[in-house]
Amino acid sequence: MKSEAWIYSYNEKCGTLEVPDSYQRSPRMDTYHFDDGFHSDGGTETPPPSPSSGSSIASTSDHGSLESVDTGGAQRLAVLSFEQVRKLNDVMDETVSIHGRGNFPTLEVKLKDLVTLVRRKLELDVQSGGAGMIVKDIRLNGGAASHVLASEAQPYNDLDLIFAVEFSSGRHFDRVKTAVLNTLLDLLPEGVSRRRISPCSLKEAYVGKMVKVNNNNDGDRWSLISLGNSPGHKNVELKFVDTMRRQFEFSVDSFQIVLDSLLLFYDCAALPISENFYPTVVGESVYGDFQEALYHLQNKLISTRQPEEIRGGGLLKYCNLLVRNYQPVDPDKIKTLERYMCSRFFIDFPDITTQTVKLEAYLRNHFWGADEEHLQYQYLMHLREVVETSTVCLMNHERHQTLLLIQTLAMQILCREQQRQQQAAQAAQQQSQTQTTSVQQHTSQQQTTQQQQLSQTTQQTTAATNASAAQQTTPIQIQTAPGLLYANGVYYAPVIPTTICTCNSTWLST
């Protein structure tokens, strides 16, 4: 009820326009043709209706709110406010590092420049090294899009970009791969000999993952090229989509932001983005209701539909949300959804080997850095609880194998954490001992120096005292008494001079 009240008050503020209930979204990546008008006076310029969806934009001059688009009773689209466009500009202006293996250098490029280069290569002729394809639109997806739309900062590990193209034949997949590799070749720094670098070596050096889906039964046609091989850094995931039935896992990661107007702004505008001058940027929630999905994002709520359609059932993502303090919108319904998640997970990863590889890769890619590693143990405990209580499609020994795998990984992580803490404590103790020893040595040196200075001062004082005493003392000379004189056989007594005593001179007068 709180969610609905919030949405109604939001609609009253922004305004909505009704469209026929017959509107249904096709799984094909729709192209919304919006007029790339810029805000030049603090207001908004309303784009024309999308021909593919029959929707209209309800604009407002309030920059603190989203401008909603009503499509078939569910507002799938919204125009971003200035603060959101500013955050989007910061993300696009961010310098991304594509780390290479071996001796290949790290490629550093701004995200907006990388997107422009890839688009040019896709639209370039095949003879010139391009793919010769038409790019319908480019979108920012995943955690980065949620970060732009949320009022509070949202952490994100990867930069997900969607290029809407058409795969009319299997050769287009190879052309897309060639276009991306040629883009990486152009990004190599000056001085690198490009003639000796083959596409295969570029792929091994800079591409972390490549996925191609061309399923005629389900109608899914898309490919994924993940750039970057260094754990602990944001990877750039380029997704090229013709058709995709399921484009989200949960409502909080269902946002897509169309970048075409912003890229055109970079090419045409001479002034930087400001509150009175910024492009009209449209966002979409493929969950179905933009306002509801945004409410879930702002309040950390978990909601999804048909998790059995998601590869892996969304089980790992669901536990990731739980460990980050997200709460289910409907606690009673989520138990049923957990069973579907577990069933689809064990269908896609049926044996213990594939489960081990998947879990280790997920932990490595989604919990890195000093701020995230401590969450791995809690994450595995959440996963164990869900698997133990909601798995209904496995035999007992198979379920016990999976639970044992989760417990083993948790114990390994706990042991590594304890070893890290012990090493940190030992290092701190050694540092403390080193500091104590250094202080003691310094104190001993000071004492020795003071003793030496005191000894020198004492010696100087003694020498000065002796010298002063030697100057003030008058030597006393004792004359020896004269002896008898002998001459001509006679001894003569010496004549002793006398002095007249003047102490009492009166007796002389008498």
Side-chain angles (χ1 to χ4, degrees):
M1 294 302 294
K2 182 180 178 181
S3 174
E4 295 179 358
W6 183 87
I7 294 172
Y8 293 150
S9 62
Y10 197 94
N11 293 342
E12 291 177 358
K13 184 178 181 181
C14 297
T16 61
L17 294 178
E18 298 295 336
V19 298
D21 296 335
S22 59
Y23 170 77
Q24 292 182 355
R25 176 177 170 84
S26 169
R28 179 178 294 272
M29 293 296 292
D30 293 339
T31 305
Y32 299 99
H33 301 283
F34 292 108
D35 183 16
D36 298 312
F38 302 140
H39 299 267
S40 58
D41 59 353
T44 61
E45 182 172 339
T46 305
S50 171
S52 61
S53 62
S55 63
S56 341
I57 307 275
S59 63
T60 177
S61 60
D62 183 6
H63 296 298
S65 63
L66 287 167
E67 299 152 7
S68 304
V69 179
D70 190 359
T71 57
Q75 301 171 353
R76 301 181 62 92
L77 306 179
V79 177
L80 274 62
S81 65
F82 166 70
E83 291 298 329
Q84 293 166 336
V85 174
R86 183 185 57 80
K87 292 172 66 176
L88 176 62
N89 177 64
D90 294 339
V91 172
M92 297 299 294
D93 201 49
E94 179 182 354
T95 300
V96 296
S97 299
I98 305 175
H99 298 270
R101 291 191 180 98
N103 296 326
F104 281 85
T106 298
L107 308 180
E108 294 187 350
V109 59
K110 291 186 176 181
L111 184 60
K112 61 182 180 181
D113 297 333
L114 177 63
V115 172
T116 302
L117 291 174
V118 173
R119 182 173 195 166
R120 289 177 182 174
K121 286 295 182 181
L122 291 173
E123 296 177 343
L124 196 62
D125 294 338
V126 179
Q127 293 78 6
S128 303
M133 305 174 67
I134 298 176
V135 180
K136 300 176 184 179
D137 61 32
I138 304 174
R139 304 185 179 205
L140 183 68
N141 186 36
S146 300
H147 165 74
V148 170
L149 297 174
S151 57
E152 298 180 357
Q154 297 284 336
Y156 57 96
N157 298 325
D158 300 324
L159 294 165
D160 302 316
L161 295 163
I162 298 178
F163 294 80
V165 296
E166 183 177 352
F167 291 109
S168 57
S169 65
R171 292 178 299 177
H172 287 88
F173 289 94
D174 296 331
R175 292 180 183 178
V176 167
K177 181 181 70 174
T178 302
V180 174
L181 294 179
N182 288 336
T183 302
L184 296 176
L185 188 64
D186 293 340
L187 290 175
L188 290 174
E190 297 181 359
V192 177
S193 179
R194 292 173 172 79
R195 293 179 300 175
R196 302 179 60 181
I197 299 178
S198 63
C200 182
S201 59
L202 277 175
K203 173 180 173 298
E204 293 296 327
Y206 293 110
V207 177
K209 178 174 60 176
M210 293 186 67
V211 178
K212 181 177 73 172
V213 177
N214 189 10
N215 194 333
N216 294 326
N217 296 328
D218 296 336
D220 283 354
R221 288 190 299 274
W222 57 273
S223 67
L224 170 68
I225 299 178
S226 178
L227 304 180
N229 292 298
S230 179
H233 295 83
K234 294 177 182 177
N235 295 333
V236 180
E237 295 197 347
L238 308 176
K239 186 175 292 185
F240 306 91
V241 178
D242 184 358
T243 57
M244 179 183 293
R245 290 191 309 159
R246 183 71 179 217
Q247 301 180 39
F248 74 98
E249 291 184 280
F250 295 88
S251 60
V252 294
D253 58 25
S254 65
F255 298 103
Q256 297 180 3
I257 301 175
V258 183
L259 301 176
D260 295 76
S261 60
L262 183 62
L263 296 175
L264 181 62
F265 181 89
Y266 292 145
D267 294 336
C268 300
L271 298 176
I273 290 178
S274 64
E275 188 173 0
N276 296 326
F277 187 68
Y278 63 95
T280 300
V281 181
V282 177
E284 179 185 3
S285 172
V286 292
Y287 173 75
D289 192 327
F290 195 100
Q291 318 307 343
E292 183 181 354
L294 184 61
Y295 178 81
H296 295 166
L297 178 64
Q298 305 283 23
N299 295 275
K300 290 190 172 183
L301 298 177
I302 302 175
S303 179
T304 188
R305 297 191 181 101
Q306 290 83 36
E308 65 275 8
E309 296 179 356
I310 310 171
R311 175 170 171 79
L315 175 63
L316 302 185
K317 174 71 174 181
Y318 171 69
C319 295
N320 193 353
L321 294 176
L322 289 177
V323 81
R324 300 181 190 279
N325 299 322
Y326 281 73
Q327 299 295 329
V329 174
D330 189 348
D332 297 329
K333 184 179 178 181
I334 199 64
K335 292 300 180 182
T336 303
L337 296 179
E338 286 180 359
R339 297 189 184 97
Y340 285 110
M341 294 178 194
C342 293
S343 299
R344 180 60 192 264
F345 178 82
F346 290 114
I347 290 174
D348 295 330
F349 306 100
D351 56 87
I352 200 69
T353 302
T354 57
Q355 294 170 14
T356 303
V357 173
K358 181 63 177 178
L359 283 177
E360 291 179 347
Y362 194 89
L363 292 173
R364 183 171 57 253
N365 295 330
H366 293 81
F367 297 94
W368 48 266
D371 298 336
E372 297 283 339
E373 289 182 354
H374 70 281
L375 297 176
Q376 293 183 358
Y377 179 80
Q378 301 176 20
Y379 171 80
L380 290 174
M381 291 296 98
H382 280 291
L383 179 61
R384 183 188 183 280
E385 180 181 359
V386 174
V387 171
E388 186 176 16
T389 58
S390 301
T391 301
V392 295
C393 62
L394 295 181
M395 300 179 67
N396 286 334
H397 71 279
E398 294 175 334
R399 186 165 61 90
H400 289 159
Q401 281 183 345
T402 303
L403 293 175
L404 180 61
L405 167 64
I406 298 173
Q407 292 175 357
T408 303
L409 292 176
M411 291 300 104
Q412 292 176 357
I413 292 172
L414 188 60
C415 290
R416 286 200 302 265
E417 184 66 22
Q418 291 178 351
Q419 290 177 357
R420 189 181 297 109
Q421 292 177 357
Q422 291 178 357
Q423 292 175 357
Q426 292 176 358
Q429 184 177 2
Q430 291 178 357
Q431 185 178 3
S432 177
Q433 292 178 354
T434 303
Q435 292 178 352
T436 303
T437 304
S438 177
V439 171
Q440 291 176 354
Q441 291 177 354
H442 183 67
T443 304
S444 177
Q445 291 178 357
Q446 287 182 344
Q447 292 176 355
T448 303
T449 303
Q450 291 176 357
Q451 290 177 359
Q452 291 177 354
Q453 292 177 352
L454 181 62
S455 176
Q456 292 177 359
T457 303
T458 304
Q459 292 177 0
Q460 292 176 359
T461 304
T462 303
T465 302
N466 293 336
S468 177
Q471 292 177 358
Q472 297 177 359
T473 302
T474 302
I476 300 176
Q477 298 180 356
I478 300 177
Q479 298 181 355
T480 59
L484 297 176
L485 297 177
Y486 178 77
N488 298 324
V490 179
Y491 288 95
Y492 296 91
V495 178
I496 301 174
T498 60
T499 58
I500 297 175
C501 181
T502 60
C503 60
N504 188 5
S505 60
T506 56
W507 66 277
L508 291 176
S509 61
T510 58

